[in-house]
Structures are given as C-alpha cells and as structure tokens.
Amino acid sequence: MRRFLVAGNWKMHGSSEMTADLISGVARRAFDAARLSEQKELSYDILVCPPAPYLGQAANHSESLPIAVGAQNVSQHESGAFTGEVSLAMLSEIGCEYVLLGHSERRELFGESDTLIAEKFAACVANSSASIVPVLCIGETLEDRQSGDTEAVVEAQLDAVINKVGIAAFDNAVIAYEPVWAIGTGETASPEQAQEVHAFIRAKLNGLDSAIADKIRIVYGGSVKPSNAGELFAQKDIDGGLIGGASLDVDSFSGICEATQKLIENT
Ligand code: PEP
C-alpha cells in the first residue's frame, strides 16, 4: 500500500517566524491526531516547501519532527556561472529531501519548457549523492480540458521526462497532477475528475513498468482544503496532495493532515 504524502507549496510566501511557527504547529497537531489513532504513529508523510531563503531553517527546525523539507525549484546544472540558481548539492547539504519540478507557475510565468523540466529531473537522477526526490508537476489548462485534450497534454508532459530519463528513474519520484484551472482559483477538480486523470497516469506508467506504476505516489493539487481533502484522497489512485494556499496556515494544513489520518484509519 502506498503511503500518503501531504505536501505544502508555500510559493513566495512566508518569513522566518512563519517557518518556525508553521512547522511546530503542524507537527504538534499531526502528532496529537496520530497519538489518538489506532496506529499510534504518523502513517503518512508530511512535506513543506518554503521559499529558498528559509529551507535551511526549515530543515533544522524539522530535524526531530516527522516533516520533510523540499525546494520549489532547482538548477539543472551542477555548479558554475549561473547567477541566481541553486544546485541539488546545495539543497541536499542544507537538508532538503524533495524538489518540485515543473510547477505550472514555473512553466507559465518563467517559461520552463518540458525539455528544461526533463533536464532538471535527469539532474536529480544523476546526482545520487544528493538523493533528492523529484516531484514532477503536470496538468492541463482550462482550454486544454474544454477542448478534450487533458490526457494528451498530461501524457506529453510525462513523455518529455520519460523519454529523457527512462521509466526506471521514476522508482524514486512523485507525480503531482495539478489541473492549472484549479490552482489558486478555489475551484477544485471533483474527486471523479481527479481520479480519472490519476488512473490515466498510472495506466500509462503501468504500460512501461508495472512495479513502478504500483509504487509511485501520484498526488493531487488544486485548491485542496480540509473540507475536500478526505474525499479526494479516498480515490483509488490519489495518494495525497500538493497544497498551495491552504498550506500557509497551521489550522488549514493540519485540517488536511487530520483528514488524511482519518482516511487511513477508516480503510
Ligand atoms: C499549488 O500551488 O501547487 C496549488 C495546488 O495551489 P492551491 O492549493 O492554492 O490551489
């Protein structure tokens, strides 16, 4: 059985104070809920992805807590004259365990292409000493969906990476399906809509490597809140969430963690 992942993407929000308060607050609430559960321990993973300046602080703060830290972006290069960029080795040295790749805001606002995202993924795979798990974000725009191109778009985004790194590289990766029309809009894909695309992604991977398809976590992102997390994550092929807005507040992020805990208890 796959372990749920509840991940927060803070985007360009936060401060040093918020980093400390949010990590402490979320860990406390998650521990409390787990202690009251049958399992008596946290049986899902929590990840926070703060802005780069707070990554080291977040990693130090969460060292003895069950919260992993991830970056929102990374360079495809190892080192060199790349002003403003951050390498995988640097992220690893300060305690990062994950990195988001190809978030729709990186694609749309910063012109990241499928080719560049595949290069970043390849860098994660090549740099085994850094051992940072790539979280590959894919998803269609509203226009794509309305023209019936959801599966074609998602498949092309996946193929760009698979063709570069090979399916075996997905052995230690996460996929985040994030319909662009649901990100930061308050509009969420229905559980059925999300499940349909998650199942499509898993079936596609299954055609290449059934063990990887079975093992890989495919999380959903797009206006996840405490009120809809349980129903979304209960879908067969949804293994948690990538959460933007609701990850910035202890109550709402903890509400999503608690919904996950409840779901595990009831299954
Ligand atoms: C995101 O930024 O990845 C995201 C899903 O944002 P939100 O939850 O705010 O829609």
Side-chain angles (χ1 to χ4, degrees):
M1 179 152 169
R2 294 179 293 271
R3 199 171 156 95
F4 283 100
L5 173 66
V6 180
N9 171 16
W10 297 7
K11 312 192 186 194
M12 201 172 73
H13 296 289
S15 62
S16 192
E17 189 183 2
M18 177 186 140
T19 301
D21 290 351
L22 204 129
I23 290 174
S24 301
V26 169
R28 194 176 328 108
R29 289 266 299 262
F31 268 140
D32 286 348
R35 216 173 290 128
L36 295 174
S37 74
E38 245 173 57
Q39 288 87 358
K40 304 279 177 242
E41 59 176 16
L42 213 61
S43 37
Y44 60 96
D45 295 331
I46 304 176
L47 167 67
V48 293
C49 301
Y54 307 121
L55 287 170
Q57 181 200 347
N60 287 338
H61 201 86
S62 63
E63 208 164 31
S64 57
L65 301 172
I67 296 188
V69 173
Q72 297 173 17
N73 187 23
V74 71
S75 170
Q76 71 275 33
H77 300 292
E78 254 178 63
S79 65
F82 302 106
T83 301
E85 293 289 273
V86 172
S87 75
L88 279 161
M90 292 169 190
L91 294 180
S92 177
E93 190 178 12
I94 60 169
C96 282
E97 295 175 70
Y98 292 81
V99 64
L100 305 183
L101 297 183
H103 187 280
S104 66
E105 286 151 19
R106 299 289 326 160
R107 291 177 190 263
E108 261 180 54
L109 306 174
F110 300 95
E112 289 200 5
S113 63
D114 279 341
T115 307
L116 176 64
I117 294 156
E119 283 173 13
K120 292 182 179 199
F121 197 113
C124 290
V125 178
N127 193 336
S128 55
S129 57
S131 79
I132 293 192
V133 179
V135 180
L136 175 65
C137 303
I138 56 178
E140 82 287 0
T141 62
L142 185 58
E143 203 184 352
D144 296 330
R145 177 161 282 265
Q146 285 171 340
S147 35
D149 292 334
T150 298
E151 291 186 354
V153 167
V154 162
E155 184 165 33
Q157 290 169 336
L158 261 180
D159 277 342
V161 179
I162 296 171
N163 291 342
K164 169 106 186 146
V165 300
I167 186 66
F170 282 73
D171 189 48
N172 193 24
V174 174
I175 294 174
Y177 166 59
E178 300 203 295
V180 179
W181 49 272
I183 296 182
T185 58
E187 203 176 320
T188 317
S190 68
E192 295 73 25
Q193 280 174 319
Q195 165 58 22
E196 200 177 16
V197 183
H198 281 238
F200 170 77
I201 295 168
R202 206 178 297 284
K204 154 120 194 136
L205 299 178
N206 191 47
L208 300 168
D209 186 316
S210 59
I212 286 178
D214 212 34
K215 173 184 171 190
I216 196 165
R217 293 188 286 193
I218 308 176
V219 299
Y220 167 80
S223 300
V224 177
K225 311 180 254 292
S227 58
N228 60 22
E231 215 189 338
L232 282 160
F233 300 176
Q235 302 302 308
K236 184 170 161 278
D237 291 296
I238 302 186
D239 308 309
L242 178 55
I243 296 115
S247 74
L248 298 172
D249 171 76
V250 172
D251 276 339
S252 53
F253 196 55
S254 298
I256 295 168
C257 292
E258 286 158 5
T260 308
Q261 176 81 50
K262 215 173 273 170
L263 183 63
I264 294 166
E265 278 167 44
N266 295 335
T267 46

